[in-house]
Amino acid sequence: AAIYAKAAFKYNVPARSTGASHEPPGGLDLSDVPENLSLITSSRSASGYRGVAKNGSRWQASIRVGKKCVKALGTFDTPEEAAAIYAKAAFKYNVPARSTGASHEPPGGLDLSD
């Protein structure tokens, strides 16, 4: 660990996100997005969630905005944390429901504001 720390300092490698803040790096502001969004599941993903992939021992969230622009949302300790950030980013970037396989509205008109 000490050798890695020296090399990281020498080559100016940024510290890894711990996932504790639950906010993606890079200045992506998700403060205006509702907190209680449903996680978007995927049967094709090993994590079980859309936009979440295993990255070493952690889980990485990323989202495709438009046809080519992929935004990395950060790495997290659990797939659920990564899926929560993906759901917020999908809401913010208005990712169409047809590409996510889910809508951003609760089923049956349920009020989940409590």
Side-chain angles (χ1 to χ4, degrees):
I3 294 172
Y4 175 80
K6 287 180 183 179
F9 180 76
K10 180 179 179 180
Y11 295 106
N12 198 24
V13 176
R16 287 179 60 184
S17 168
T18 64
S21 70
H22 303 287
E23 291 299 326
L28 179 61
D29 181 21
L30 298 176
S31 62
D32 58 338
V33 177
E35 289 291 325
N36 298 330
L37 294 174
S38 298
L39 302 183
I40 303 169
T41 59
S42 171
S43 60
R44 297 185 298 182
S45 172
S47 68
Y49 299 103
R50 175 106 176 158
V52 177
K54 187 80 166 168
N55 184 0
S57 63
R58 296 172 54 85
W59 297 91
Q60 179 174 347
S62 60
I63 189 166
R64 181 177 303 277
V65 180
K67 293 184 179 184
K68 293 186 179 181
C69 182
V70 175
K71 294 191 179 286
L73 302 173
T75 57
F76 302 89
D77 293 328
T78 67
E80 291 79 15
E81 290 172 339
I85 292 298
Y86 177 86
K88 285 182 164 189
F91 185 89
K92 180 171 184 87
Y93 287 115
N94 199 22
V95 173
R98 68 179 182 276
S99 68
T100 63
S103 70
H104 301 295
E105 298 297 324
L110 296 174
D111 180 14
L112 301 176
S113 60
D114 291 331

